[in-house]
Amino acid sequence: MSVTRLVTPGDAPALAELVRVNRDFLAPWEPVRSEDYFTLGGQRAIIGDALARYKQGSALPHVILDRTGRVVGRITLNGIVRGPFQSCSMGYWVSASDNGRGLATAAVREITGVAFGELGLHRIQAETLLHNIRSQRVLERGGFVRIGMAPAYLNIAGTWQDHILYQVVNTTPA
């Protein structure tokens, strides 16, 4: 059974509820969000933007599902670049109540397979805060290797923070 699928406009109510309920849980790991982000309208707009980028070929926005098919998080390939680079960046989150169940690990493995198979990408990069040990473990279980540290890489929780950089490279011959 698949643990991810392309996000749809119909996912907006579930995602709005998830981000609202998980607001405090996700806050240390994400940019500061406007109040609109936590509303149905805000999630509809985010999904619309993500699907527009998907149609342009620059993103692959998926939801993460539990065994029953309930939406429990998001995983997205962003900044897909073609040509000689054939690369992207990956971001993901899973609700607090569904953490520690292997869903993020399964989603990372699945989306990596899609990236290297269907999309024909060569490399995926992912970044974590230095103290986000759980996310680092997810990436390592998904075959990612640490490649360095980027100082003041992203503005997370209102502060420019250092991030550990990870990557996985497609080793299947083109």
Side-chain angles (χ1 to χ4, degrees):
M1 180 182 135
S2 183
V3 297
T4 76
R5 66 164 168 75
L6 187 66
V7 68
T8 70
D11 294 319
L15 288 168
E17 178 66 11
L18 274 178
V19 296
R20 186 189 62 74
V21 168
N22 287 278
R23 185 176 189 157
D24 292 339
F25 172 72
L26 295 173
W29 318 111
E30 294 194 332
V32 174
R33 305 288 189 183
S34 71
E35 288 303 315
D36 190 52
Y37 177 83
F38 302 95
T39 68
L40 179 58
Q43 287 302 303
R44 282 187 179 139
I46 288 165
I47 291 169
D49 176 64
L51 290 173
R53 290 183 295 116
Y54 169 68
K55 287 178 184 171
Q56 295 167 351
S58 65
L60 182 63
H62 276 211
V63 288
I64 300 173
L65 309 169
D66 70 6
R67 288 185 188 185
T68 69
R70 180 177 58 93
V71 174
V72 298
R74 292 275 315 264
I75 187 165
T76 303
L77 300 179
N78 287 298
I80 296 173
V81 177
R82 296 301 186 164
F85 195 49
Q86 296 294 332
S87 212
C88 68
S89 180
M90 180 182 65
Y92 57 89
W93 60 267
V94 173
S95 67
S97 62
D98 293 293
N99 256 243
R101 296 178 46 210
L103 295 169
T105 299
V108 165
R109 287 180 179 147
E110 188 171 300
I111 207 84
T112 298
V114 171
F116 291 164
E118 291 174 37
L119 299 181
L121 295 176
H122 172 68
R123 178 180 172 274
I124 304 169
Q125 178 174 308
E127 310 82 18
T128 73
L129 290 165
L130 302 182
H131 59 283
N132 194 344
I133 304 302
R134 293 182 84 174
S135 190
Q136 292 165 28
R137 300 276 189 278
V138 165
L139 291 170
E140 290 163 0
R141 283 191 298 268
F144 284 72
V145 294
R146 183 179 174 159
I147 59 170
M149 195 276 291
Y153 187 70
L154 291 172
N155 191 313
I156 300 296
T159 305
W160 288 99
Q161 297 194 45
D162 300 347
H163 280 68
I164 298 173
L165 305 179
Y166 284 83
Q167 75 171 11
V168 64
V169 174
N170 187 354
T171 57
T172 305

